[in-house]
Amino acid sequence: MDCPLLEARELTKSFPGVRALKGVSLTLRRGEVLAVIGENGAGKSTLMKILAGVQRPDAGEILIEGQTTRIGSVHEALSLGIALIHQELNLADNLDVAANIFLGREKRRFGLIDKARQREDARPLLEAVGLKIDPTVLVSTLSIGQQQLVEIAKALSVDARILIMDEPTSSLSSHESENLFKVIGDLRSRGVSIVYISHRLGEVCALADRVTVLRDGANAGHLVREEITHDAMVKLMVGRELSQFYPHECHAPGAAVLEVQELRTQAHPAHRLSFTVHGGEIVGLAGLIGAGRTELLETLFGVSPARGGTLRIAGQTVVPRSPLEAIAAGLALVPEDRKAQGVILEMAVRDNLSLASLRRDQRHGLIDRRRAGEIAREMIASLRIKTPDSRQLVLFLSGGNQQKVALGKWLALRPRVLLLDEPTRGIDIGAKQEIYRLMETLAGQGVAILFVSSEMEEILGMSDRVLVMHEGCITGELARSELSEESVMHLATGSGRSAA
C-alpha cells in the first residue's frame, strides 16, 4: 500500500483537570478528504491544533510520508505543508487580499514590500480557489464565503499539501457552501489532502472519502466511503452509557411561566422561535456549536434585543430591552463564561453574592451592608460554598465554588425563570452533582429552568423535556420518554426535523 501522507499515532494531551486526548490515531492519504467528527468536547480541536503546530502532544508521534516528525510550531507545520484554517477566520480586514495572502511572508524588493509582485502572484492563487476578484480589494469588503476562499488561497501560497478545515461552512450561505465544495473537489483532484471537521453530517456524507470519529478524547471508530451514512456516524459519536449520578426526578409541571412566541434573535433573524417552560420544569436546550442556544438565552435576558416576537412571564407580556428589565420581570441568567461575565474575580464572595440585589436592597441610594452580609451567609450555607469566610476573593475559589457564587447572586432575587448556559462547564464531578441537586431543589420550589449544555449525558440526565436547535432554528422537541442520544443528535444535525 502507499505510505500515508500523514499519520498520527497514539497522541495524548492533558490540560489542568482534563485529559483531552487519550491515545488518538489518525491516517491521511494523498488527495483524499478525511472527515473528523465527534460531539462537543470529543477532542477534535485539540488534535487539529497538534497537527498544525499550535500545541504539542504529551506523548505519541506524528509521521509525514513515513518519517517521524516533530511539529513544534505553526511555522514548522507550514514548512511541512500543513495549514490550519480556523473556524474564526484569521484575516486583516484593513489590508487588501494580496497583502493578506502573503502576510508575514511579504514579497520584498530593496527591503521594501513589493506590492505589485504580491498582487501578481496572488492572481493564480485566487483563480485556483475559484475566486474572481481583484487582489487589490480590501478584505473588509468581501463576504464571509469569499474570505474563506482567501484563507484557502493563503494556505496554497505556502504550497500546503494538507489543509485542515475547522467548521468551514459554519458562517456560509448555501450558495457559498456549494462553491466551497467545488473548490475542495478541485483541490482533491490535484493531490491536496484535506482534513474536514464539521458537525454537519450531510456535508460529511457528500464530501468525505473516510471518516474518523472521536468520542471523549479517544478513537470511537472509522468509516470508509461505502460505510458513511448519517446513522452510522451518529451511532459512533454517541455510543456510550448514560452516567448514573444524575439526581433527576420528574416534577409535575405547574402553570406556564415562560411563554415565547415567534421570537427572532439578532443572530438568526430569519427563524421564529416558539416554546413554553412551566413552573417546576427543567427544560434542556441541546444543539451543536453555533446552533444559536446562547444567543437565544441572551435575547430572552435582554442582552441582545429581540428582532421580533413576544414574551410572557407568569402571564405578563414583556419585551426585555436590557438585563435590568429582564430581572424586573423575574428572569435570571447564569452565563457560559463565569469568569468574564458571571462573577468579578477580584471582589469578595459577599460582594459578588449581593451584586444582583443591590438595586432592591439599597438604603437611601447606598449599599445596605447588613443586608449584603445576610444574603452572603444565606447563600454560602444553602449552596455549601467552600470558602474561609465571605470576605475571601472569588479568584481563590475552585471552579465549582465560583459557579455556585455565580448562581447564588441570582437566587437571592428569587427568580421565576432561571436561564443556565453551560452550568457545569469546567468543574469537577463532585461540584457537578451539587449543581444538579440545586437544579432539582429549585424545580421542586416551582422555578422554571431552561438550561444549555453541550454534554449529552447532562441533557439526557437532567431534562424533563429537550428543545433541540440547529443553525438558529428549533428543529424538534423531545419528551423525557423520547430522549436518547440518537434522537437528540438526529435533530441537532438537521435530520429528522419536526414541526416544532
Side-chain angles (χ1 to χ4, degrees):
M1 291 182 65
D2 290 339
C3 179
L5 177 59
L6 169 70
E7 189 174 1
R9 295 180 180 173
E10 297 292 320
L11 295 181
T12 65
K13 181 68 178 177
S14 296
F15 300 99
V18 178
R19 195 174 181 201
L21 295 181
K22 308 167 187 175
V24 169
S25 298
L26 171 149
T27 301
L28 178 68
R29 302 187 180 96
R30 291 174 183 82
E32 77 165 349
V33 176
L34 172 68
V36 178
I37 64 172
E39 294 183 66
N40 300 339
K44 304 186 300 296
S45 294
T46 300
L47 175 60
M48 296 308 116
K49 287 176 182 177
I50 288 173
L51 296 179
V54 178
Q55 296 172 349
R56 298 183 184 182
D58 299 330
E61 62 178 340
I62 299 171
L63 293 82
I64 302 292
E65 295 183 309
Q67 299 297 313
T68 299
T69 305
R70 176 186 176 277
I71 306 178
S73 67
V74 174
H75 178 73
E76 289 181 13
L78 289 173
S79 69
L80 293 166
I82 304 172
L84 170 61
I85 300 175
H86 294 272
Q87 182 176 356
E88 299 296 330
L89 300 181
N90 188 27
L91 298 174
D93 286 352
N94 60 322
L95 299 179
D96 66 27
V97 169
N100 269 278
I101 289 175
F102 297 105
L103 192 62
R105 300 170 292 103
E106 288 80 3
K107 309 287 184 178
R108 295 185 180 273
R109 187 182 184 198
F110 307 124
L112 302 176
I113 295 175
D114 189 343
K115 294 183 179 180
R117 184 184 167 199
Q118 285 191 164
R119 290 165 179 168
E120 195 60 34
D121 289 353
R123 294 184 193 281
L125 295 170
L126 294 173
E127 290 176 7
V129 298
L131 197 50
K132 299 176 182 178
I133 59 172
D134 193 297
T136 63
V137 302
L138 291 179
V139 164
S140 60
T141 66
L142 303 181
S143 70
I144 295 296
Q146 290 173 318
Q147 290 182 27
Q148 183 77 261
L149 295 178
V150 171
E151 280 277 22
I152 298 174
K154 183 178 177 180
L156 296 180
S157 73
V158 296
D159 296 322
R161 48 185 178 160
I162 299 172
L163 282 182
I164 301 172
M165 297 184 176
D166 188 0
E167 298 288 349
T169 62
S170 61
S171 300
L172 303 188
S173 67
S174 297
H175 175 72
E176 290 172 330
S177 295
E178 289 172 7
N179 189 32
L180 176 63
F181 300 157
K182 291 177 183 176
V183 172
I184 290 173
D186 184 52
L187 292 172
R188 173 169 49 189
S189 68
R190 293 188 304 176
V192 178
S193 301
I194 295 169
V195 180
Y196 192 89
I197 304 171
S198 181
H199 286 307
R200 298 179 176 180
L201 301 187
E203 294 178 0
V204 174
C205 287
L207 290 172
D209 297 302
R210 290 187 300 116
V211 174
T212 290
V213 185
L214 301 184
R215 186 172 67 239
D216 297 331
N219 287 105
H222 303 276
L223 300 170
V224 296
R225 179 68 230 171
E226 57 270 20
E227 298 172 328
I228 300 173
T229 65
H230 187 279
D231 288 351
M233 289 187 285
V234 169
K235 184 177 180 179
L236 288 173
M237 288 170 67
V238 302
R240 63 179 184 272
E241 294 295 324
L242 183 62
S243 178
Q244 299 299 309
F245 72 96
Y246 298 97
H248 183 71
E249 296 179 6
C250 291
H251 304 283
V257 176
L258 173 65
E259 298 172 88
V260 179
Q261 287 293 325
E262 307 246 324
L263 184 71
R264 295 166 56 217
T265 67
Q266 296 280 356
H268 299 280
H271 298 301
R272 300 173 186 270
L273 309 178
S274 299
F275 60 91
T276 300
V277 184
H278 299 84
E281 189 177 34
I282 300 176
V283 176
L285 195 55
L288 300 171
I289 291 173
R293 299 168 299 165
T294 292
E295 292 82 358
L296 170 57
L297 294 195
E298 290 180 345
T299 301
L300 295 174
F301 197 60
V303 175
S304 177
R307 292 284 292 271
T310 60
L311 225 66
R312 289 173 64 84
I313 308 295
Q316 298 295 314
T317 300
V318 295
V319 184
R321 291 166 295 182
S322 70
L324 273 178
E325 293 185 7
I327 292 168
L331 280 84
L333 169 64
V334 179
E336 177 181 10
D337 189 343
R338 66 173 172 271
K339 291 186 177 181
Q341 301 172 317
V343 295
I344 300 177
L345 295 172
E346 295 78 14
M347 285 177 58
V349 171
R350 176 189 61 194
D351 298 330
N352 270 276
L353 287 169
S354 62
L355 272 177
S357 52
L358 284 177
R359 184 178 293 267
R360 181 194 67 184
D361 297 333
Q362 65 180 324
R363 296 185 65 188
H364 311 299
L366 301 175
I367 295 174
D368 186 341
R369 294 288 182 185
R370 182 187 61 80
R371 179 58 182 147
E374 291 174 356
I375 289 172
R377 287 190 293 273
E378 178 187 352
M379 290 300 150
I380 289 171
S382 64
L383 301 183
R384 293 188 288 185
I385 299 171
K386 294 178 182 177
T387 178
D389 57 58
S390 65
R391 293 169 294 178
Q392 174 72 287
L393 298 184
V394 172
L395 176 66
F396 298 115
L397 301 184
S398 69
N401 285 295
Q402 288 179 1
Q403 185 72 341
K404 290 180 185 179
V405 172
L407 269 165
K409 74 176 185 184
W410 293 115
L411 300 186
L413 287 176
R414 307 282 190 261
R416 294 188 179 97
V417 180
L418 182 60
L419 309 174
L420 303 173
D421 197 352
E422 302 287 0
T424 65
R425 171 167 288 175
I427 63 178
D428 63 53
I429 195 166
K432 282 186 176 185
Q433 198 163 35
E434 290 192 62
I435 298 296
Y436 300 148
R437 289 196 186 101
L438 177 60
M439 291 169 65
E440 282 295 304
T441 299
L442 294 170
Q445 296 170 354
V447 177
I449 298 176
L450 177 65
F451 81 102
V452 167
S453 178
S454 296
E455 293 191 28
M456 182 68 75
E457 294 178 355
E458 196 166 270
I459 287 286
L460 300 183
M462 290 303 300
S463 303
D464 293 305
R465 282 187 297 124
V466 172
L467 303 172
V468 187
M469 295 189 69
H470 174 72
E471 297 183 359
C473 180
I474 295 177
T475 53
E477 176 182 322
L478 299 168
R480 187 165 180 85
S481 60
E482 301 172 311
L483 286 179
S484 68
E485 298 189 44
E486 287 83 357
S487 63
V488 173
M489 286 301 298
H490 276 292
L491 291 169
T493 53
S495 299
R497 179 176 297 192
S498 71

